[in-house]
Amino acid sequence: MMRSSHFVAAVLAAICVTSVSAQDQVVKVSLDKRTLSADALAPQKRAEQLGLLQSSNGGQDIPILNFLDAQYYGQIGLGSPPQEFMVVFDTGSSNLWVPSSQCSWFSIACDLHHKYHAANSATYQKNNTKFAIQYGSGSLSGFFSTDNLTLGSLEVQQQTFAEATKEPGLAFVAAKFDGILGLGFPEISVGGAVPPFNNMMDQGLVKDPVFSFWLNRNVEGKQGGELTLGGVDPAHFKGEHVWAPVTRRGYWQIAMDSVKVPGTSGTCKDGCKAIADSGTSLLVGPSDEVAAINLAIGAEGVVAAQCRSLVKAYLPQLIKIIATMPPDQVCATIGLCDAQQIPTPARKLLAQTLMQAQQTQQDDLPPELLRQIIPAEQRTAEKVGDSTQCQICEMAVNYVKVALANNETETQIEDKLAGLCDALSFLGSSQAVVDCDKLSELPDVSFTIAGKEFGLTPEQYILKVDAGGEAQCISGFMGLDIPAPAGPLWIMGDIFLGAYHTVFDYGNERVGFAEAA
């Protein structure tokens, strides 16, 4: 699974499951939903909103819950009788894991979610092989066990899964799901565990060796989405699917011909690698290409906005510091250059000087700035930030020095620094926002796959959420540089899969896209 940071919101829902015969291969889930809001914004993965789901073709449907277009997950059961869990159905990984009853006492994420109790299952089989998956926030670890897996009316016999005893980072603490059910190929399965869908095929539980996703991007809609196992639901797409062969087993990796955005010279010009990933919320691509797209659609990096806000509020105090300090030392103190560039005595003198300045100046230095600058004397020799950011920072400081020498006004300096803030922000994978009032003015973005152009409108590639009573619009494009040989890579997350019904054809090793209905 390709990762991202966190959404925080409140959801209250009641779920009622209607029993059906196994022959029907259909599970209906009725639900109640309340209005959702976001108190924190970040490019995290899938989440929760309830819906009534049913297939008309005899395939096996699993309800998908949608949370602010950020995450999609559904219910499974493990053991006999089934112990219920909410899991992300993730085509970007191949393992099934849930929290274990043997979690550490200090695992907050484990305490806040459902846990698997082996002693409560009549079909549990001990495995106990160690298990670990590396995420951006750290290593999720535990051990393997084997038990029966229930998805709707399907029961997979002897599914090997991981009991997680350690879940790293705050992302899992805030997550509305308990675990992850991987739908990728066996090649990327940690520990060689057979993925759940492979077991379904081997045990003859699905009609055809395919599964398909319909993700409802309408946060006001009653349906969150649908995962159909063993078939497709024709009610959820228009026309015919366009098929792209899998170019590398592991992730559902395909070839993409191009990405087109008016106002840019084009990205992915000579073709590029892409994966269809239900476990990623946004559209993720190489950071330089995403920076060009965000610039073309008028998106502003959150870092840029914060940078310009700081410049506007505290420029007078910053000018006083910059005027008496070498550029490399200024940039090291704020973490954009190597902190070791400042000799220890100079760092100590700097801290003392700043403390004295705070005590004597009528306009005290802001605590946020002091927290960034004063601890410089305690920093390690580890390099902070990349060389490009360091160079831009030093350029900014040098500009202020020159501007002051040329008697430029604070307003002129502020305008120039605002431009530098924008440049600094777009170098990285910063989350970007756009003006919600200008959505109608933004261009469409198109992706060409298997010779077919798949367009996204601004309403489709922009996430519009309520943040503290105010509407905020987030760019659906995020930069992430994946090194070779896996990368460079485009990750076609839920923003794309929401616009286009997606079929994962395991039997023919291909992925199909059709306009979602």
Side-chain angles (χ1 to χ4, degrees):
M1 177 190 296
M2 301 292 170
R3 321 287 156 218
S4 21
S5 41
H6 67 280
F7 267 91
V8 179
V11 160
L12 297 175
I15 302 177
C16 175
V17 179
T18 303
S19 62
V20 295
S21 66
Q23 184 178 5
D24 290 335
Q25 298 286 309
V26 171
V27 174
K28 296 180 180 180
V29 180
S30 60
L31 40 96
D32 295 325
K33 179 185 66 176
R34 293 190 180 183
T35 303
L36 301 173
S37 63
D39 298 318
L41 303 172
Q44 190 181 335
K45 303 205 159 268
R46 302 84 69 193
E48 62 204 76
Q49 207 177 50
L50 310 179
L52 178 63
L53 311 171
Q54 180 178 1
S55 173
S56 60
N57 70 334
Q60 177 62 49
D61 292 347
I62 302 298
I64 299 295
L65 313 182
N66 165 26
F67 169 56
L68 286 177
D69 288 343
Q71 294 181 331
Y72 294 86
Y73 61 79
Q75 182 176 293
I76 66 167
L78 281 170
S80 303
Q83 301 173 38
E84 295 181 353
F85 299 92
M86 302 305 293
V87 298
V88 170
F89 295 103
D90 177 29
T91 59
S93 66
S94 298
N95 289 90
L96 167 61
W97 67 261
V98 296
S100 172
S101 61
Q102 299 183 39
C103 276
S104 164
W105 286 100
F106 302 102
S107 177
I108 300 175
C110 207
D111 289 339
L112 296 177
H113 294 88
H114 297 97
K115 295 178 281 292
Y116 172 78
H117 294 262
N120 295 342
S121 175
T123 48
Y124 162 75
Q125 297 179 31
K126 184 177 180 179
N127 182 303
N128 220 32
T129 304
K130 290 184 178 180
F131 166 87
I133 287 184
Q134 188 67 34
Y135 289 96
S137 57
S139 177
L140 182 143
S141 58
F143 57 91
F144 283 111
S145 293
T146 299
D147 210 333
N148 292 351
L149 165 66
T150 304
L151 295 94
S153 59
L154 298 182
E155 185 174 34
V156 182
Q157 302 292 316
Q158 299 181 348
Q159 175 65 51
T160 296
F161 65 98
E163 294 190 46
T165 57
K166 177 186 175 184
E167 300 179 41
L170 292 176
F172 291 111
V173 174
K176 299 295 182 179
F177 57 86
D178 300 308
I180 293 173
L181 189 150
L183 290 168
F185 288 90
E187 282 81 352
I188 59 172
S189 177
V190 174
V194 179
F197 190 68
N198 288 75
N199 273 330
M200 293 179 208
M201 293 187 292
D202 294 342
Q203 295 176 25
L205 299 177
V206 291
K207 178 182 177 182
D208 296 309
V210 302
F211 59 91
S212 56
F213 276 97
W214 170 68
L215 305 179
N216 189 357
R217 301 301 285 174
N218 180 7
V219 297
E220 301 297 332
K222 294 181 179 180
Q223 293 178 299
E226 176 183 280
L227 164 63
T228 301
L229 300 168
V232 298
D233 188 339
H236 291 316
F237 65 90
K238 303 175 183 177
E240 300 293 330
H241 287 84
V242 174
W243 297 98
V246 171
T247 56
R248 182 181 181 184
R249 285 172 57 104
Y251 305 117
W252 288 86
Q253 182 172 314
I254 59 177
M256 186 157 64
D257 303 329
S258 66
V259 181
K260 299 178 182 177
V261 187
T264 71
S265 58
T267 58
C268 180
K269 292 181 180 179
D270 301 318
C272 51
K273 296 180 287 187
I275 63 173
D277 185 9
S278 63
T280 294
S281 303
L282 307 183
L283 283 158
V284 181
S287 58
D288 57 342
E289 297 186 9
V290 167
I293 292 174
N294 278 331
L295 194 60
I297 66 174
E300 175 183 74
V302 171
V303 171
Q306 294 172 342
C307 174
R308 288 191 286 105
S309 177
L310 183 65
V311 167
K312 184 177 182 64
Y314 305 123
L315 184 59
Q317 292 91 337
L318 292 173
I319 287 176
K320 293 177 183 178
I321 297 173
I322 291 172
T324 58
M325 187 183 301
D328 58 341
Q329 293 183 12
V330 173
C331 297
T333 61
I334 61 175
L336 294 179
C337 294
D338 189 347
Q340 200 176 28
Q341 291 177 1
I342 304 179
T344 299
R347 278 182 273 165
K348 291 182 177 179
L349 179 61
L350 170 63
Q352 294 170 1
T353 302
L354 290 172
M355 289 300 293
Q356 292 172 0
Q358 186 188 31
Q359 294 169 1
T360 57
Q361 290 176 0
Q362 289 183 344
D363 297 325
D364 291 344
L365 289 170
E368 298 90 341
L369 185 60
L370 288 172
R371 279 196 295 269
Q372 293 181 43
I373 298 177
I374 293 178
E377 62 182 302
Q378 301 173 352
R379 294 180 185 172
T380 64
E382 179 180 348
K383 181 144 182 93
V384 186
D386 61 37
S387 59
T388 306
Q389 290 178 335
C390 180
Q391 292 171 9
I392 288 181
C393 178
E394 292 180 359
M395 180 175 64
V397 175
N398 280 321
Y399 169 75
V400 172
K401 286 181 172 288
V402 173
L404 291 174
N406 291 334
N407 296 318
E408 289 191 23
T409 65
E410 282 189 13
T411 300
Q412 291 173 316
I413 295 175
E414 181 183 325
D415 290 341
K416 293 294 179 63
L417 288 180
L420 288 170
C421 284
D422 291 334
L424 185 62
S425 174
F426 280 118
L427 285 173
S429 57
S430 168
Q431 178 183 317
V433 295
V434 300
D435 186 341
C436 293
D437 294 332
K438 296 183 178 180
L439 288 188
S440 61
E441 303 173 14
L442 302 186
D444 290 350
V445 178
S446 63
F447 302 83
T448 303
I449 301 172
K452 168 73 173 180
E453 197 169 276
F454 296 88
L456 292 179
T457 65
E459 290 75 18
Q460 291 173 319
Y461 66 72
I462 297 294
L463 292 175
K464 190 172 184 179
V465 298
D466 177 57
E470 295 184 2
Q472 186 161 13
C473 293
I474 306 170
S475 167
F477 295 94
M478 177 182 172
L480 180 66
D481 292 314
I482 301 172
L489 190 67
W490 276 87
I491 304 172
M492 313 303 285
D494 296 340
I495 283 182
F496 186 83
L497 303 188
Y500 296 97
H501 180 270
T502 308
V503 180
F504 297 83
D505 186 343
Y506 195 99
N508 295 302
E509 296 191 3
R510 59 181 185 170
V511 181
F513 302 102
E515 183 182 353

